[in-house]
Structures are given as C-alpha cells and as structure tokens.
Amino acid sequence: QVQLVESGGGLVQPGGSLRLSCAASGFSLDTYTIGWFRQAPGKEREGIGCISSDDGETYQADSVKGRFTISRDNAKNTVYLQMNSLRPEDTAVYYCAADLSPWYQFFLKDRDEVDYWGQGTQVTVSS
C-alpha cells in the first residue's frame, strides 16, 4: 500500500520544539520532492517548506524561516520537520506531500496534482 504517514505531533508550550516525521511506505522517497504544509482552523492550507530529491536543497516560507528545518534520510525513507521556537500561531494540522516535480515548482502545483499526501498530524502550541 502506497502511503505517507506523519507522526510526532502533539501539545507543546510556546518556545518549545517538536520534530515531525513523514515516512513513506510502498514507494521510495529518494526521487521525490517532499513538502510540508499546515492548515489552521478557518485558514487556507499553507506551504511552509520543501526539500529537493537530489541535493537536499530546501525552501522555507518566511513564516517559519530560521525556526523550522527540513531534512531527509533516504535510507529510512523518511523526511523530517524540525520545529523550534514554536509559537501559538504555529498551531495547525501539519501535512507532508510528495511529488516528482522539482523543488522550485513544488508549491506551484494544485493540491490535486500532487502525487501523494499524508493524513496529517496535529500540532498545538499552548501554555
């Protein structure tokens, strides 16, 4: 069965850290650009960053730049989102997605055109 599964979400205090994982099964991630999105209640889904399939080039949105880092371990078929200095406004459901497009085109694709989506994991930042 082909799927992406996110894990690592939870409740964290402001200023804290979490690391989300995006694990693939049924296919190999090493040829895919992997992106992270989030969606807060009542808001549009926001693309927050992605990592290329080959040289590890990464992109982060301004809203998370300097706080969030994306990395990949192709041997484990997993991509990570390290989130530091979390803020209440980071509260959202976080999704990963995989697509064969280059990283610089990833966020230009319509949601329905992306090859694979995970089911999402909740991150809540609150004291």
Side-chain angles (χ1 to χ4, degrees):
Q1 183 178 3
V2 174
Q3 59 179 351
L4 288 173
V5 178
E6 301 96 336
S7 61
L11 173 65
V12 62
Q13 292 188 341
S17 297
L18 281 176
R19 188 178 78 159
L20 305 185
S21 299
C22 172
S25 60
F27 72 106
S28 176
L29 281 180
D30 59 0
T31 58
Y32 287 80
T33 296
I34 308 300
W36 286 95
F37 297 78
R38 66 185 180 185
Q39 188 163 18
K43 293 190 176 182
E44 294 285 321
R45 188 170 294 192
E46 174 191 14
I48 59 173
C50 63
I51 186 166
S52 69
S53 60
D54 47 9
D55 60 3
E57 184 78 33
T58 61
Y59 158 81
Q60 291 87 35
D62 288 344
S63 57
V64 304
K65 194 172 293 183
R67 300 187 299 123
F68 291 10
T69 303
I70 300 173
S71 61
R72 64 192 302 155
D73 186 338
N74 288 338
K76 295 183 178 180
N77 219 24
T78 300
V79 171
Y80 303 98
L81 178 66
Q82 177 67 44
M83 305 186 295
N84 299 327
S85 302
L86 283 161
R87 306 166 180 168
E89 55 264 37
D90 294 318
T91 295
V93 178
Y94 283 71
Y95 302 87
C96 65
D99 196 81
L100 288 171
S101 60
W103 69 270
Y104 49 87
Q105 296 179 343
F106 186 88
F107 290 115
L108 300 177
K109 302 196 74 170
D110 290 337
R111 182 182 307 182
D112 293 344
E113 296 176 339
V114 174
D115 291 327
Y116 302 112
W117 284 95
Q119 84 291 347
T121 185
Q122 176 70 46
V123 171
T124 302
V125 185
S126 175
S127 55

